[in-house]
Amino acid sequence: GAGVSQSPRYKVAKRGQDVALRCDPISGHVSLFWYQQALGQGPEFLTYFQNEAQLDKSGLPSDRFFAERPEGSVSTLKIQRTQQEDSAVYLCASSKGLAARAQYFGPGTRLLVL
Amino acid sequence: SQQGEEDPQALSIQEGENATMNCSYKTSINNLQWYRQNSGRGLVHLILIRSNEREKHSGRLRVTLDTSKKSSSLLITASRAADTASYFCATRLGSKLTFGTGTRLQVTL
């Protein structure tokens, strides 16, 4: 079956530009997560959805970051007024059930802010 | 911030040898998971060990967990060139998964 997909795979943005990153989770997966991974580091948690409810957004670095999952399936991570420090790979993951066990990751979106 | 640290940061071995990576973490956990990441396949879940388990096997992988020392180890036996990747431990508490800094494993022919 299809895994988690993300688009675009690569995004170059000028500083100050708004960007939107899309995640299509595995069909039927209740839980959806966003992570930010800087070069040479492990992924860092950004936010968690259970169906359409955003239950944890403690990892979002600033109010310029906003995520939504309005119908409990596809999710969008939006970054407003991008800064150079936002350059990273943004990973989306989904998992079955309400309690996260193994998470299935997408290929990521590599964002470069110039 | 990263929950844990992996040791070593980088490891180079020859095909057929065993590779051992260690992970230390800081807080209580529900479970600990190991993931592999390479450029070709992204981040892939390898194995999960619950906080009340001490050892778990899956194919060529063996994971141990010592909650008193807040540490875990991943052993890959009879390594292959295809095992070349970065390996991350991740601890779960509640819904949040917190990753370590990773070990870069290079397996040469």
Side-chain angles (χ1 to χ4, degrees):
Chain A
V4 178
S5 61
Q6 292 185 245
S7 61
R9 293 292 310 276
Y10 303 92
K11 176 70 179 178
V12 179
K14 292 182 179 179
R15 191 174 57 179
Q17 187 179 350
D18 296 349
V19 298
L21 312 179
R22 177 187 169 106
C23 172
D24 282 84
I26 293 173
S27 178
H29 276 196
V30 169
S31 299
L32 185 145
F33 306 82
W34 283 98
Y35 295 85
Q36 180 189 60
Q37 186 174 24
L39 191 64
Q41 299 293 314
E44 293 212 15
F45 171 84
L46 293 177
T47 187
Y48 160 60
F49 289 87
Q50 181 181 300
N51 295 307
E52 69 278 3
Q54 189 175 21
L55 298 187
D56 188 341
K57 53 182 181 179
S58 62
L60 295 176
S62 77
D63 59 7
R64 296 185 296 103
F65 287 72
F66 171 76
E68 60 183 4
R69 194 186 185 199
E71 297 178 0
S73 178
V74 171
S75 177
T76 303
L77 176 67
K78 297 178 180 178
I79 309 173
Q80 297 177 322
R81 304 180 303 282
T82 53
Q83 303 293 316
Q84 285 186 321
E85 61 263 29
D86 299 335
S87 295
V89 176
Y90 290 85
L91 297 167
C92 175
S94 68
S95 68
K96 282 186 184 179
L98 302 179
R101 290 175 57 81
Q103 295 186 13
Y104 298 85
F105 282 79
T109 294
R110 185 177 297 276
L111 173 65
L112 177 62
V113 181
L114 301 176
Chain B
S1 60
Q2 309 286 167
Q3 154 75 299
E5 294 185 0
E6 272 118 313
D7 169 54
Q9 288 189 333
L11 179 61
S12 182
I13 59 173
Q14 290 192 319
E15 200 170 45
E17 295 181 334
N18 296 341
T20 299
M21 295 160 243
N22 302 295
C23 166
S24 60
Y25 58 93
K26 298 173 184 173
T27 65
S28 299
I29 62 172
N30 298 124
N31 63 51
L32 186 143
Q33 305 175 29
W34 285 89
Y35 286 80
R36 180 183 67 219
Q37 185 176 42
N38 58 33
S39 57
R41 294 191 60 193
L43 203 64
V44 175
H45 178 264
L46 295 176
I47 193 167
L48 179 153
I49 185 166
R50 295 188 183 91
S51 59
N52 61 354
E53 296 176 313
R54 292 297 166 257
E55 187 171 313
K56 200 160 184 180
H57 296 253
S58 176
R60 294 185 296 113
L61 305 179
R62 173 179 169 256
V63 170
T64 62
L65 179 64
D66 186 335
T67 52
S68 66
K69 294 181 179 179
K70 290 187 168 58
S71 67
S72 174
S73 68
L74 172 67
L75 168 67
I76 304 174
T77 59
S79 63
R80 305 167 181 168
D83 295 329
T84 294
S86 290
Y87 291 80
F88 295 92
C89 68
T91 52
R92 180 184 153 240
L93 184 62
S95 60
K96 187 177 294 188
L97 202 58
T98 305
F99 286 81
T101 52
T103 292
R104 292 184 302 280
L105 173 66
Q106 176 75 43
V107 181
T108 56
L109 295 171

